[in-house]
Amino acid sequence: MAFGTGHHQTTTLAIEILENLIEEEMCVLDLGTGSGIIAIIAKYLGANKIDAVEIDEDCLENFNINLDLNNMKKEIFYHNCDVLKWKIFNYDIIIANINRNVILDLIPIIGKTDATIIITGLLVEDRSIIYNKCTQYNIKICNIHTKDEWMAMELRYE
């Protein structure tokens, strides 16, 4: 049950990166939001507009409970959608805390965004696979963060 509580290593990595990147009034896209923890933290850190995308309808109840607990019901916008079908990427920061296969499919879709992209949900052993996919689409890996066997990457389109 570590996923969705904020205690999983990948969530911790995403939050640590956000703490260093986010500035007041930034727009954030949380792909694969689940319980909304990362989106909520982005709001606490100063993000202005936050869209949270999740395909699993079972997450909506927990997402709404977390928004209510943090008095953010009208602060974060939930979209029930497959992240691979999402088409809007004009954000300052895009976060995807999903699994490797979805991230590999997502990299070409994100395309030529000006956003800083944070991807996590990855094992350290996935590094070369992700590196090769990013290189193929002119996406630079700016930083790699690890915690135990898990990894998060900061990306920018070149």
Side-chain angles (χ1 to χ4, degrees), residues 55-73:
I55 192 171
D56 187 350
E57 291 180 12
D58 292 337
C59 293
L60 182 57
E61 181 180 356
N62 191 241
F63 179 89
N64 284 326
I65 288 169
N66 287 332
L67 288 185
D68 287 340
L69 289 171
N70 288 279
N71 297 314
M72 292 188 183
K73 193 69 173 169

Side-chain angles (χ1 to χ4, degrees), residues 2-3 6-16 97 120-122 145-152:
F3 287 103
H7 292 97
H8 191 271
Q9 293 92 324
T10 61
T11 308
T12 302
L13 287 167
I15 291 168
E16 289 171 0
N97 183 11
T120 189
L122 303 165
H145 307 261
T146 61
K147 187 172 181 92
D148 302 325
E149 71 272 19
W150 297 96
M151 168 180 73

Side-chain angles (χ1 to χ4, degrees), residues 1-70:
M1 187 67 195
F3 287 103
T5 63
H7 292 97
H8 191 271
Q9 293 92 324
T10 61
T11 308
T12 302
L13 287 167
I15 291 168
E16 289 171 0
I17 294 168
L18 271 179
E19 288 175 326
N20 291 319
L21 289 179
I22 207 159
E23 297 175 10
E24 294 283 325
E25 303 300 312
M26 282 187 157
C27 297
V28 174
L29 174 62
D30 181 9
L31 296 171
T33 194
S35 64
I37 298 297
I38 293 172
I40 290 167
I41 295 294
K43 184 64 181 173
Y44 276 119
L45 292 172
N48 183 35
K49 177 183 185 266
I50 304 167
D51 286 311
V53 180
E54 177 60 53
I55 192 171
D56 187 350
E57 291 180 12
D58 292 337
C59 293
L60 182 57
E61 181 180 356
N62 191 241
F63 179 89
N64 284 326
I65 288 169
N66 287 332
L67 288 185
D68 287 340
L69 289 171
N70 288 279

Side-chain angles (χ1 to χ4, degrees), residues 7 14 17 26 28 30 42 56 79-80 88 92 96 111 129 132 157:
H7 292 97
I17 294 168
M26 282 187 157
V28 174
D30 181 9
D56 187 350
H79 306 272
N80 182 236
I88 305 164
D92 298 301
I129 295 166
N132 291 338
Y157 177 75

